[in-house]
Amino acid sequence: MAVGIFDSGLGGLTVLDAVTKRLPDVPFVYFGDNAHAPYGVRDADDVYALTTAAVERMFGAGCDLVILACNTASAAALRRMQESWIPHDKRVLGVFVPLIEALTERSWGDNSPPREVEVKHVALFATPATVASRAFQRELAFRAIGVDVEAQACGGVVDAIEDGDMILAEALVRSHVDALKRKMPDPQAAILGCTHYPIMHDAFQVALGEDVSVYSQANLVAESLADYLERHPKMVGAGTESKFLTTGDVRKVSDRATQFLRRQITFEAA
Ligand code: DGL
């Protein structure tokens, strides 16, 4: 039994950490496509090609269910994958919907018509590709009316995190929050719409101020996966072993992952 967790690099570890704590008996196969990160500056065809190659590898490692713990891949490739690529006995799920359901006060899979919600002014921080896709606004419009979303493409943040340059990452977060505030001075909520960004959660919270509720995906995705597996227990695939796969430099990626998760993580070549 194994469930796949995919990201372009290290960001999906924020989701892996939460799902491992929520579902300690499920083996997880993590795949970081570090050699090709960041995805956020690539076009949709490129993201589709890289994501399908990685997911294929995870099917090969015994996963029947793969979570795209990458907003960029969820925004740029998931719909096309679901329409024509995913084999009938496999599932690939994204990370957008659980977050938008939480923001719009909905329970899992509530597909009732859009309605007014408490939050009116939302700041979205995401990669350039996710912002350009407008996927977040589309999913939100299915569920809520009257919500003003201001999106800020956070160029450079993923690269800095992948390089382990946290000082640069923090400076970039501050400057992206400033840019957002020039467009929307008083957001009520902020969405960290990239799984790398929770690593910088405190920097976002300080720059935004204490009154802004900062939403990130890890725990929401963990809850929604637990719920999904309860309803579809057979989707825990044939793999029995947890492992960490990367297309990048095995030692460098293992060191960074160990630093982020504060426990020994050993990657192997994908
Ligand atoms: N963690 C990915 C996301 O959630 C980062 C994308 C990238 O590699 O730029 O969007």
Side-chain angles (χ1 to χ4, degrees):
M1 339 186 281
V3 172
I5 305 288
F6 165 77
D7 184 40
S8 61
L10 298 166
L13 292 172
T14 58
V15 172
L16 178 91
D17 196 36
V19 294
T20 310
K21 285 179 180 144
R22 179 68 182 77
L23 297 160
D25 298 331
V26 174
F28 289 99
V29 174
Y30 186 85
F31 187 112
D33 193 8
N34 302 74
H36 303 109
Y39 277 17
V41 290
R42 294 177 181 274
D43 68 26
D45 283 345
D46 213 4
V47 173
Y48 177 82
L50 291 169
T51 306
T52 47
V55 172
E56 187 82 64
R57 172 72 180 86
M58 299 173 92
F59 289 160
C63 302
D64 287 345
L65 169 64
V66 173
I67 309 290
L68 299 186
C70 176
N71 290 269
T72 308
S74 302
L78 182 57
R79 188 187 286 187
R80 186 167 158 200
M81 289 168 74
Q82 285 170 335
E83 276 165 9
S84 58
W85 182 82
I86 301 167
H88 74 277
D89 56 341
K90 311 281 189 210
R91 292 287 177 277
V92 180
L93 304 175
V95 284
F96 266 50
V97 171
L99 186 126
I100 291 172
E101 285 179 340
L103 186 75
T104 56
E105 309 148 22
R106 284 174 182 249
S107 49
W108 207 94
D110 171 358
N111 286 326
S112 58
R115 55 179 179 256
E116 291 228 21
V117 293
E118 184 73 27
V119 65
K120 300 285 183 232
H121 304 287
V122 177
L124 168 67
F125 296 95
T127 66
T130 299
V131 169
S133 76
R134 301 183 65 79
F136 176 86
Q137 286 90 330
R138 206 168 40 240
E139 292 294 339
L140 187 66
F142 290 139
R143 297 171 177 83
I145 44 178
V147 183
D148 182 17
V149 178
E150 196 61 67
Q152 177 65 32
C154 298
V157 176
V158 168
D159 313 55
I161 293 172
E162 289 286 317
D163 288 345
D165 190 342
M166 307 318 275
I167 293 173
L168 175 60
E170 209 176 309
L172 287 170
V173 165
R174 275 199 302 271
S175 104
H176 288 304
V177 170
D178 281 351
L180 182 284
K181 280 185 159 178
R182 284 197 288 276
K183 298 178 281 184
M184 178 183 271
D186 293 306
Q188 291 165 280
I191 304 291
L192 302 189
C194 167
T195 51
H196 280 70
Y197 300 171
I199 295 169
M200 306 307 297
H201 179 279
D202 293 353
F204 275 101
Q205 185 75 71
V206 168
L208 284 159
E210 266 174 31
D211 295 345
V212 180
S213 317
V214 177
Y215 286 77
S216 52
Q217 288 159 322
N219 291 333
L220 299 168
V221 171
E223 272 319 308
S224 132
L225 177 61
D227 189 66
Y228 183 88
L229 290 179
E230 209 162 283
R231 290 177 300 111
H232 304 90
K234 292 211 179 90
M235 289 317 295
V236 180
T240 52
E241 227 189 302
S242 285
K243 57 176 120 184
F244 292 83
L245 304 172
T246 180
T247 54
D249 178 322
V250 168
R251 230 179 86 195
K252 212 163 94 183
V253 174
S254 301
D255 286 351
R256 299 245 199 288
T258 299
Q259 178 194 339
F260 289 145
L261 293 192
R262 297 194 180 95
R263 63 184 166 93
Q264 181 60 45
I265 303 290
T266 306
F267 274 82
E268 51 191 278

